[in-house]
Amino acid sequence: MLRPIYVLFALFAAANCDQLSVLYSPKAVEFSGNSRLDAESLPEVFGAALGYSVSQPTEWDGMVIKDPFSTANGAVVVVAEGLESVAVEGAKNYQLDGNTGSVALSELIQKSADHQGVSFEVDLKESSDSFNTPLGTVQPDDEEVKPQHLKPKSNKADSDFLRQLAFLNGLSDLLVTSTDRIPTVHIVRVSFEALLAAHEPNSPALEEAKKLFVNALAGLETASEKAFDGAVIVGLVTASEGQLVVRSKRQAGAPKQAETDDDNPMNLATKYNSNYPVIFNIILWFSVVLVFSLLAISIVIGTMDPGRDSIIYRMTSTRMKKEN
């Protein structure tokens, strides 16, 4: 009787998995296969695609860095809170183990800051009239989206969702027209939670909302590719329990203050500057070349024939000979 119960539990767990969808990546970063990924490893995946060092190695084989000198210069990640998956044509999809991917992505902001990158994270559900980014102020165009089944005038959930899509389209327009320094990491959160509560799972209104969201993602992908000249990774992360997980994670973030204590009770490793691996490699290989050069010179001198026409005879002779 244990086997049917176990299978039923496994099917239930698999049906409640979040998803990572890679919409675009540079040629130097290849995504393939369909192996599952630990949700906590999302910052490491995007960080590796940006050329950052990986602090927690993983055995996930879904990404291969073909050229470490041509990695992405930017990452644009959209988090769809409330959904388990979104069907996007042409995207590479990977199921996530665990439901903490939405929270783990915030660590990507810190990774970018450690590498002197400019980043921002915005929750469109909390935006009212506009929101500020390092690129400038994003203002929504409410007239751009004209739905058929969603009723923004009579349903507040529909109105709020369309407002988020207008913000997403406004960000795409800002990326295309920006000429200043573009932030390295963009994390944009879009909430479907109120929309799911207001409509049936397979209702025409909800299907239309997903279609409009996918269209907005396509516009953001095109704008990101143009802004970064193709050196960008664009991803979509679904978070079926996004809001609940975010709250619990932010409350549990206090123990990180122990990093500044002199006693180091958590036995954390020393944090090095981002230039450390560069300097280390320069010193290491210079030392290797110097040692082998010294060894080669010593062997040549040691095996040199001390004849009258050699430098050894000339330097050790008591009577220096002059060249005529």
Side-chain angles (χ1 to χ4, degrees):
M1 296 297 294
L2 293 178
R3 183 179 296 274
I5 296 177
Y6 174 78
V7 172
L8 180 62
F9 175 77
L11 292 175
F12 178 78
N16 290 274
C17 290
D18 295 335
Q19 178 179 281
L20 164 65
S21 299
V22 180
L23 310 182
Y24 181 86
S25 63
K27 295 181 180 179
V29 183
E30 180 182 2
F31 287 86
S32 60
N34 56 0
S35 56
R36 301 170 69 92
L37 172 66
D38 186 4
E40 293 289 341
S41 300
L42 278 175
E44 304 294 336
V45 171
F46 284 101
L50 289 169
Y52 300 161
S53 58
V54 179
S55 58
Q56 298 178 356
T58 176
E59 296 181 355
W60 188 60
D61 58 354
M63 182 181 69
V64 177
I65 306 295
K66 290 185 174 181
D67 185 0
F69 301 102
S70 301
T71 53
N73 295 329
V76 179
V77 187
V78 179
V79 181
E81 296 180 347
L83 297 181
E84 294 179 2
S85 63
V86 178
V88 181
E89 185 178 358
K92 296 295 297 183
N93 301 319
Y94 305 93
Q95 288 187 343
L96 298 177
D97 289 332
N99 55 2
T100 57
S102 175
V103 179
L105 278 173
S106 297
E107 300 177 8
L108 188 59
I109 299 291
Q110 183 59 42
K111 278 182 172 291
S112 177
D114 293 341
H115 290 78
Q116 289 78 44
V118 179
S119 308
F120 77 91
E121 179 178 6
V122 60
D123 190 346
L124 298 183
K125 182 178 62 175
E126 299 177 355
S127 301
S128 54
D129 297 329
S130 63
F131 67 88
N132 296 322
T133 70
L135 290 172
T137 302
V138 177
Q139 296 181 347
D141 185 3
D142 297 329
E143 301 296 331
E144 186 174 354
V145 180
K146 296 181 180 180
Q148 296 180 354
H149 301 286
L150 296 173
K151 306 299 180 183
K153 295 183 178 180
S154 58
N155 192 325
K156 188 177 185 303
D158 295 357
S159 176
D160 291 342
F161 176 76
L162 293 176
R163 187 76 166 175
Q164 295 182 70
L165 290 187
F167 274 123
L168 198 59
N169 292 329
L171 179 60
S172 300
D173 296 337
L174 189 61
L175 276 173
V176 172
T177 58
S178 177
T179 58
D180 299 330
R181 182 183 180 187
I182 303 176
T184 304
V185 176
H186 306 65
I187 298 180
V188 184
R189 301 182 182 273
V190 179
S191 176
F192 281 80
E193 294 172 346
L195 201 65
L196 291 170
H199 299 282
E200 296 295 329
N202 297 322
S203 63
L206 188 58
E207 293 300 322
E208 182 183 34
K210 292 181 179 179
K211 183 178 180 180
L212 292 174
F213 176 64
V214 171
N215 293 337
L217 284 178
L220 182 63
E221 176 188 348
T222 302
S224 302
E225 182 181 355
K226 182 177 180 181
F228 288 94
D229 294 329
V232 64
I233 176 171
V234 182
L236 169 66
V237 176
T238 59
S240 55
E241 300 179 6
Q243 186 64 26
L244 178 62
V245 176
V246 168
R247 289 178 179 175
S248 62
K249 185 71 176 183
R250 287 177 179 173
Q251 292 176 358
K256 290 185 177 181
Q257 296 177 355
E259 295 178 2
T260 59
D261 296 341
D262 296 334
D263 297 334
N264 195 13
M266 298 180 66
N267 194 25
L268 299 178
T270 304
K271 185 176 181 180
Y272 295 97
N273 187 275
S274 59
N275 295 325
Y276 177 83
V278 178
I279 298 174
F280 176 82
N281 277 275
I282 291 175
I283 296 176
L284 172 64
W285 295 112
F286 181 80
S287 301
V288 170
V289 172
L290 186 62
V291 168
F292 278 98
S293 300
L294 182 61
L295 179 62
I297 294 172
S298 301
I299 293 175
V300 171
I301 294 177
T303 58
M304 183 180 293
D305 182 18
R308 291 181 176 273
D309 59 344
S310 69
I311 190 174
I312 297 179
Y313 175 77
R314 292 174 181 271
M315 298 302 293
T316 58
S317 177
T318 56
R319 184 170 60 116
M320 299 299 294
K321 296 183 180 179
K322 296 182 179 180
E323 296 283 348
N324 293 329

